[in-house]
Amino acid sequence: MRKFLLIFLSIILIPQLQAAEITATSCINSEIDVVVLGSGGPELTDRRASTGYLLREKGKARFIIDFGAGASLNFERVGGKIEDLEALLFTHFHVDHVNDLPAIIKASFFSDRERDLPLYGPTGNHIIPSTSVFVERQFGVNGVYPYLSDFLTGEAVYRLIPIEVNADHDNPRLFTTKIGDFSIQAIGVDHGLLPSLAWRIEKDGCSLVISGDTNNSGKTLEHLAKTADIFIAHHAVPESSKDHVAQHLHMKPSEIGRISRDSKVHHLLLSHFMHRTEHTEDETQSAIRSYYNGPLDFAKDCDIYQLQTGKKIGSCM
Ligand SMILES: [Zn+2]
């Protein structure tokens, strides 16, 4: 078997993140939106799909960001076509962010996709494999789905190409690339022991930023989220939480509010709910409002938000 191709894209080293180029421009494209494929976390009792988002332009699927359990059903509900996708982007490899990946790779066999599909994700460590090893262990000839290995070897009609992005939040480096006519940026964020990334996707001055799961101890999010048209922040612990483990992994609403204020985000969308953050809307709002006074929404599965206005424009339910 031919070993599958690893592509290491150039990463721009920026000693001082403040010096990096994220310029404030206004969104001039009304046809870019984001679909919430899943607004939940790992629980299976919350009546929400696990985490996933779909960025579309003119109703066409362009980028999937995370793809947890149930996200594939909502991708189907919104009429997403695998052949339209530019890339899959992953924040990290916890189950609730990646569990529907085999489903979409298998389903692609029945789609019209012919061009290679890049899969971007974090570097690994002693706790969890890197993106390339993660993909190999699933779809390689010795992986758990060897019957899908053609997608790595190039013997299928297209090739799945894993691309690793440095997720070190202690020495954060802004990753930048261009995919199609979209500008993509990512930066390492602190999610306990798991290497994790936050993502920014931008076109025509319209920007979507997704925090991923993080406690933001490295203060890397406020840089990436600068003047984001929509900032999706993961709301997995309530303001009143005394759970030290949870707080080690996630940020409280007050931190989300502070980031949103400091980054001057245009619209804040809370997602990745868990039982402990359901029915805490008043407490959450007041914690956020002590920092940030802009538009604020609580995501539900299948919600569709337009980047230009930040407004909900539909649902795939
Ligand atoms: Zn999660």
Side-chain angles (χ1 to χ4, degrees), residues 120-257:
Y120 291 78
T123 42
N125 65 6
H126 62 292
I127 297 293
I128 200 139
S130 66
T131 295
S132 53
V133 175
F134 183 85
V135 167
E136 177 72 25
R137 285 184 184 169
Q138 294 204 53
F139 309 121
V141 287
N142 296 314
V144 291
Y145 304 113
Y147 78 114
L148 300 179
S149 61
D150 286 358
F151 290 107
L152 293 184
T153 61
E155 290 160 73
V157 65
Y158 79 89
R159 189 196 297 255
L160 181 66
I161 302 181
I163 299 167
E164 295 185 8
V165 176
N166 190 313
D168 182 358
H169 62 269
D170 288 327
N171 298 294
R173 288 184 277 178
L174 186 70
F175 168 83
T176 65
T177 191
K178 198 99 175 152
I179 305 177
D181 40 14
F182 286 82
S183 299
I184 309 293
Q185 295 181 314
I187 201 159
V189 292
D190 185 351
H191 186 39
L193 290 171
L194 260 279
S196 296
L197 298 164
W199 287 97
R200 181 182 180 106
I201 306 175
E202 198 157 355
K203 183 184 175 185
D204 297 336
C206 312
S207 51
L208 170 70
V209 173
I210 294 173
S211 72
D213 292 0
T214 179
N215 60 25
N216 197 39
S217 75
K219 305 297 175 205
T220 45
L221 265 181
E222 39 272 73
H223 174 75
L224 198 73
K226 187 177 169 190
T227 66
D229 288 295
I230 295 182
F231 174 43
I232 297 180
H234 286 182
H235 174 40
V237 289
E239 191 64 25
S240 55
S241 175
K242 301 277 187 281
D243 180 337
H244 292 293
V245 175
Q247 289 181 62
H248 183 60
L249 296 173
H250 299 285
M251 52 191 168
K252 285 186 170 183
S254 52
E255 175 67 357
I256 295 172

Side-chain angles (χ1 to χ4, degrees), residues 239 251-260 284 287-288 290-291:
E239 191 64 25
M251 52 191 168
K252 285 186 170 183
S254 52
E255 175 67 357
I256 295 172
R258 188 193 62 73
I259 296 163
S260 303
T284 297
I288 287 174
S290 50
Y291 292 93

Side-chain angles (χ1 to χ4, degrees), residues 50-127:
S50 295
T51 305
Y53 309 99
L54 172 66
L55 185 125
R56 305 188 305 173
E57 185 181 18
K58 297 180 183 169
K60 278 192 169 183
R62 305 300 297 271
F63 294 93
I64 280 174
I65 310 98
D66 285 353
F67 210 55
S72 56
L73 177 60
N74 291 332
F75 181 78
E76 182 177 338
R77 281 186 169 130
V78 80
K81 291 203 170 103
I82 298 167
E83 54 268 35
D84 291 336
L85 287 166
E86 300 287 345
L88 309 175
L89 312 177
F90 286 95
T91 61
H92 65 296
F93 293 131
H94 270 152
V95 165
D96 56 320
H97 295 254
V98 75
N99 216 31
D100 273 2
L101 172 63
I104 198 167
I105 299 305
K106 177 60 207 173
S108 70
F109 177 81
F110 301 99
S111 77
D112 292 331
R113 185 164 196 101
E114 290 185 349
R115 54 188 177 124
D116 289 349
L117 180 61
L119 185 159
Y120 291 78
T123 42
N125 65 6
H126 62 292
I127 297 293

